């Protein structure tokens, strides 16, 4: 495996932003990963694990360590009764896997269509969309422990899955490299249509897997650009939705009605989703009532149709433009609603002083 010096990371992220990694390599199997880890240990360098780079913003200075792009490939499936256990290597393209499952008539990941990135990262932030979370179908996650080089498997219940979270981006952050994921899918139809955009479209109908996948792709394409070309790079939602309890929900309501009036409050109440004892407030309408749609900072802009998405609209944005824009959003939302939004993408190569300057950390 080649370990190259000074490789520009902008080409490896969907934002199309980021300076060079001090060293860079592409790992095709677990031996490559072990070799990369040994190199990093000898050179005393931090390691950045890269999938499709669709959930990260890399600093303009780049990453002062070894970036390891995970390119492990292959999949296999085992049918057991009404279930099928689909195991895919971490470097497989996620949406190709969804397409495969749809073609094979395996239910369970169709709502997660048209999400960029690789299979491995799906477990990292427990990817979710259209009423579905990856954790609902993940059976096992095979990992390589960085410290020991040993390979073992986590069962679903050991992964600590929650909204946009798992042990891999919280308590055990940076300790494991995911090699493959096994998904438990259903051979019997299990349409998951409770999400508003889907329920309204398919009310009273019995859509096929292909119908659902087509609908999800169509709906997503109307909301924000899929980052394929040099322009409009993005990392999907830049801010997480807001999960709060009853008391916090009441406080939020009072603050919004005080600062923006009752129409804003009604609008938000209509969007809030009650989940067990908590409320999920989609962050997009919060940005909308705060007047942030379409706001820009140099070459970075908030997407008009889905304001959680920040765009490198010209293809020439710096990471500083994006973080500057994020800082404006955080400040405005905090002033008008009292809410401190969490960022969704991983920020790579920024110093604590920079993050403090942009109001990302205290
Ligand atoms: C247009 C667009 C739409 C999106 N829509 C959604 C959406 O609907 N829902 C959603 O949840 N996300 C969404 N995302 C975010 C993103 O696509 C997902 O989080 C995706 O799973 C990231 O995959 P990746 O391979 O690009 O990860 P990367 O960006 O490469 O990495 C993300 C994090 O995972 C770590 N990582 C990656 N691979 C491994 C591995 N094998 N082992 C250990 N750690 C690893 C990285 O170190 C990093 O911390 C969207 C992004 C875009 C650009």
């Amino acid at each position: 495996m080649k370990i190259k010096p000074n490789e520009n990371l902008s080409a490896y992220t969907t934002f199309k932003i980021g300076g060079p990694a001090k060293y860079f390599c592409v790992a095709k199997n677990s031996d490559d990963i072990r070799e990369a880890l040994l190199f990093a240990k000898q050179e005393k360098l931090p390691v950045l694990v890269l999938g499709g780079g669709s959930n990260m913003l890399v600093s303009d200075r780049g990453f002062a360590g070894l970036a390891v792009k995970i390119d492990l490939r292959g999949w296999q499936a085992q049918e057991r009764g009404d279930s099928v256990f689909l195991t895919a290597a971490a470097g497989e393209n996620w949406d190709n896997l969804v397409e495969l499952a749809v073609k094979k008539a395996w239910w369970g990941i169709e709502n997660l269509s048209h999400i960029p990135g690789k299979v491995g990262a799906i477990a990292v932030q427990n990817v979710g969309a259209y009423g579905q979370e990856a954790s609902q179908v993940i059976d096992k996650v095979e990992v390589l422990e960085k410290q020991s080089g040993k390979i073992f498997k986590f069962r679903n219940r050991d992964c600590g899955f929650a909204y946009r979270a798992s042990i891999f981006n919280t308590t055990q952050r940076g300790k494991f490299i995911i090699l493959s994921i096994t998904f438990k899918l259903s051979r019997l139809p299990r349409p998951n249509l409770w999400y508003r955009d889907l329920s309204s479209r398919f009310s009273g109908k019995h859509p096929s897997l292909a119908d659902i996948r087509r609908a999800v792709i169509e709906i997503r394409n109307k909301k924000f650009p899929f980052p394929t070309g040099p322009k409009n790079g993005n990392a999907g939602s830049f801010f997480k939705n807001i999960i709060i309890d009853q008391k916090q929900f009441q406080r939020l309501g009072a603050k919004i009605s005080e600062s923006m009036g009752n129409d804003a409050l009604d609008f938000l109440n209509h969007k809030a989703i009650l989940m067990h004892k908590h409320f999920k407030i989609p962050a997009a309408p919060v940005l909308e009532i705060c007047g942030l749609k379409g706001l820009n900072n140099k070459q970075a802009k908030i997407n008009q149709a889905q304001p959680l998405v920040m765009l490198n609209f010209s293809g020439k944005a710096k990471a500083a433009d994006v973080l500057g824009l994020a800082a404006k959003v955080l400040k405005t939302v905090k002033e008008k609603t009292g809410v401190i939004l969490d960022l969704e993408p991983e920020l790579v190569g920024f110093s604590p002083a920079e993050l403090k300057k942009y109001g990302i950390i205290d």
Side-chain angles (χ1 to χ4, degrees), residues 74-92:
W75 64 271
Q76 52 173 316
Q78 240 188 352
E79 293 186 352
R80 259 185 266 159
D82 295 337
S83 302
V84 55
F85 291 81
L86 172 62
T87 301
E92 284 291 333

Side-chain angles (χ1 to χ4, degrees), residues 195-210:
Y195 204 81
R196 252 177 232 159
D197 286 346
L198 292 176
S199 59
S200 57
R201 183 176 287 234
F202 292 121
S203 158
K205 297 184 184 142
H206 299 285
S208 67
L209 270 168

Side-chain angles (χ1 to χ4, degrees), residues 24-40:
F24 174 88
C25 63
V26 178
K28 296 206 170 281
N29 52 51
S30 50
D31 285 342
D32 286 351
I33 294 178
R34 287 195 187 96
E35 188 186 328
L37 292 173
L38 184 65
F39 175 84

Side-chain angles (χ1 to χ4, degrees), residues 12 14-15 47-56 69-70 90-91 94 112-130 164 168-169 173 176-180 220 224-227 233-237 309 344 346 348:
Y12 298 96
T14 55
F15 248 132
V47 171
L48 168 67
V49 179
L50 261 179
S54 65
N55 207 25
M56 54 176 69
K69 180 152 173 69
I70 302 298
W94 170 251
L112 302 178
S113 288
H114 210 36
I115 296 179
K118 309 293 178 185
V119 164
I122 286 293
V124 175
Q125 77 153 0
N126 180 20
V127 159
Y130 295 90
R164 296 295 187 270
F168 306 112
N169 66 358
R173 189 188 185 87
F176 301 101
I177 296 184
I178 296 171
L179 301 177
S180 72
R220 293 183 71 99
F224 48 90
F226 198 81
N234 66 78
S237 299
V309 177
E344 194 170 305
E346 159 123 19
V348 176

Side-chain angles (χ1 to χ4, degrees), residues 210-263:
D211 293 335
I212 297 172
R213 174 167 164 80
R214 213 175 304 118
V216 169
I217 294 174
E218 203 185 301
I219 296 164
R220 293 183 71 99
N221 277 340
K222 279 192 191 143
K223 292 192 176 170
F224 48 90
F226 198 81
T228 41
K231 292 192 176 173
N232 285 327
N234 66 78
S237 299
F238 204 83
F239 304 97
K240 289 185 189 172
N241 291 323
I242 303 154
I243 313 279
I244 47 180
D245 64 23
Q246 178 91 37
K247 268 197 182 153
Q248 291 167 316
F249 184 62
Q250 279 164 357
R251 273 205 297 274
L252 173 67
K255 175 82 181 162
I256 286 177
S257 119
E258 177 201 306
S259 66
M260 290 177 282
N262 282 338
D263 284 352

Side-chain angles (χ1 to χ4, degrees), residues 92-162:
E92 284 291 333
N93 177 291
W94 170 251
D95 198 48
N96 289 352
L97 193 75
V98 178
E99 191 181 24
L100 171 90
V102 166
K103 278 194 183 138
K104 297 272 188 189
W106 298 333
W107 292 77
I109 50 176
E110 58 283 357
N111 292 27
L112 302 178
S113 288
H114 210 36
I115 296 179
K118 309 293 178 185
V119 164
I122 286 293
V124 175
Q125 77 153 0
N126 180 20
V127 159
Y130 295 90
Q132 170 113 60
E133 281 191 345
S135 57
Q136 291 168 288
V137 287
I138 288 178
D139 181 53
K140 286 194 181 71
V141 179
E142 185 191 29
V143 298
L144 183 147
E145 188 180 32
K146 279 186 182 169
Q147 179 81 23
S148 64
K150 283 187 186 153
I151 293 176
F152 54 91
K153 286 182 185 166
F154 283 108
R155 291 164 304 185
N156 178 304
R157 64 172 174 273
D158 302 324
C159 293
F161 288 125

